[in-house]
Amino acid sequence: MEKILSTSEGSVNTNLIGSIHSDKIIILVPGIDGSIDYFNEMIPYLKDKYTVVALDLLGQGKSSKVKSDNYTIDSEAWNMLEAIARLKIVKQLIIFGYGVGGLIAVNMAELRGFTISKLILLNTPATDKYSDMDASSSVAAIPLLGKLAKSPVKAGLYFDKNFDRKSLSNPKIVDEAANMVDHKVAKKLQKMSVDYLSEKFLNKRLRTIKIPTLAMYADGDQILGEKGIKDAKATIGRVPGLQLVDIKGAGHLAMLEKPKEIVDKIIAFDEEKVERQQVDIEE
């Protein structure tokens, strides 16, 4: 059920599927220029095992703009946490974020790590060198937010080159999400990740929060690009408690292309950690 929740900086659009009293709750955070509709293919595979909460970032989707007009990873993360608190969820959370949404997920853990049990990242940049790749194409080398994302042809860069968008329940999902973002806001959203990773790379942030993390990278990601993927893997590959997983034959929006595979890897990671904790207790 979708619901708009008031926060200190605006109004956050949320979609809650399941009970807030469930022991398994997963939070879904979109990347910039996206929307909670990007998770529609995943949710049917998640909802039998988890309560699902998807949230639109401030400035995009059905959420309002930021009142202060100050768009940062920190402000977005705090407003996600505020919205979750409005739902009166008190259980520990699994946070899933793709692209820059992964950075917001990490920052949520930095702000309130005791409320988060696991982090799941999909195609998330790790250094400022590639941190704007969610908003610009390494293929086209021109800004992807706004004008580019609204082009049906260029929107194809969000997917693997061989993926047929006609197979989606909504082939125009990327274009529609981009059209809901104000052009000036889009530029500010694009800058958030550069500022965040310029301050501290992702590996140092993950080492500090010490939360079990699954980082997935799709080999057909045309947004982060081959160099960006290599950079991310090299940067975070040695972080304790982190697992790196490759997604073959998928692009930046791998959860739309291969939703069951993505969910299966989330569940496997979640259950493996539970089993490991139980073994530690028995020993």
Side-chain angles (χ1 to χ4, degrees):
M1 178 180 70
E2 287 195 35
K3 186 176 183 181
I4 303 291
L5 300 173
S6 178
T7 66
S8 57
E9 277 290 350
S11 299
V12 176
N13 182 48
T14 64
N15 187 18
L16 171 66
I17 300 99
S19 169
I20 62 171
H21 304 295
S22 170
D23 289 330
K24 290 286 186 180
I25 299 176
I26 186 166
I27 307 296
L28 308 179
V29 182
I32 54 174
D33 212 30
S35 81
I36 61 174
D37 290 343
Y38 282 1
F39 302 120
N40 287 349
E41 305 291 336
M42 284 178 66
I43 289 174
Y45 299 105
L46 284 169
K47 65 181 183 179
D48 289 339
K49 193 171 186 67
Y50 302 94
T51 285
V52 181
V53 183
L55 306 101
D56 275 324
L57 299 181
L58 290 179
Q60 60 187 43
K62 296 177 184 176
S63 292
S64 72
K65 295 180 181 179
V66 174
K67 291 178 183 177
S68 64
D69 203 33
N70 182 32
Y71 292 86
T72 66
I73 294 292
D74 185 82
S75 65
E76 292 283 10
W78 188 254
N79 277 278
M80 298 295 98
L81 290 167
E82 274 196 62
I84 293 166
R86 296 287 187 275
L87 292 172
K88 299 181 179 179
I89 293 174
V90 296
K91 302 287 186 178
Q92 276 201 315
L93 310 167
I94 299 169
I95 310 289
F96 172 92
Y98 81 91
V100 173
L103 299 180
I104 294 169
V106 171
N107 193 225
M108 290 168 71
E110 290 177 312
L111 294 170
R112 291 182 67 84
F114 63 92
T115 66
I116 297 169
S117 62
K118 299 173 186 70
L119 289 171
I120 316 287
L121 314 178
L122 175 63
N123 297 327
T124 295
T127 68
D128 58 342
K129 185 176 181 180
Y130 296 98
S131 57
D132 63 347
M133 287 295 102
D134 277 280
S136 62
S137 167
S138 58
V139 176
I142 56 177
L144 184 60
L145 282 174
K147 291 185 292 184
L148 178 54
K150 293 174 185 177
S151 162
V153 176
K154 301 294 175 60
L157 293 173
Y158 276 94
F159 302 94
D160 181 80
K161 292 178 181 179
N162 297 318
F163 181 72
D164 182 6
R165 280 178 288 153
K166 293 180 181 178
S167 65
L168 295 173
S169 56
N170 179 8
K172 296 183 178 180
I173 189 169
V174 171
D175 307 86
E176 291 175 358
N179 280 325
M180 297 180 75
V181 183
D182 179 83
H183 182 64
K184 292 181 179 178
V185 171
K187 289 184 177 180
K188 294 178 180 180
L189 290 169
Q190 180 180 352
K191 188 173 180 292
M192 294 191 310
S193 56
V194 178
D195 293 343
Y196 181 70
L197 290 175
S198 294
E199 180 183 320
K200 190 185 296 184
F201 286 175
L202 187 58
N203 59 324
K204 293 184 178 180
R205 294 181 181 278
L206 291 172
R207 285 179 180 273
T208 299
I209 59 178
K210 299 178 180 178
I211 292 175
T213 302
L214 172 65
M216 296 180 281
Y217 290 94
D219 62 359
D221 186 346
Q222 301 182 77
I223 303 299
L224 187 55
E226 183 179 350
K227 291 182 179 179
I229 293 170
K230 288 182 178 179
D231 176 77
K233 288 182 178 181
T235 302
I236 66 176
R238 295 185 179 181
V239 173
L242 179 138
Q243 290 188 27
L244 280 173
V245 172
D246 293 322
I247 306 297
K248 302 292 185 180
H252 190 62
L253 290 175
M255 69 279 191
L256 279 172
E257 297 168 86
K258 296 192 172 185
K260 186 177 185 302
E261 180 177 340
I262 297 298
V263 171
D264 285 346
K265 292 187 184 301
I266 291 172
I267 293 172
F269 174 71
D270 185 22
E271 292 181 344
E272 178 185 345
K273 291 297 181 180
V274 170
E275 290 171 3
R276 185 173 300 170
Q277 289 169 359
Q278 290 173 344
V279 170
D280 291 341
I281 291 172
E282 290 173 2
E283 292 177 348

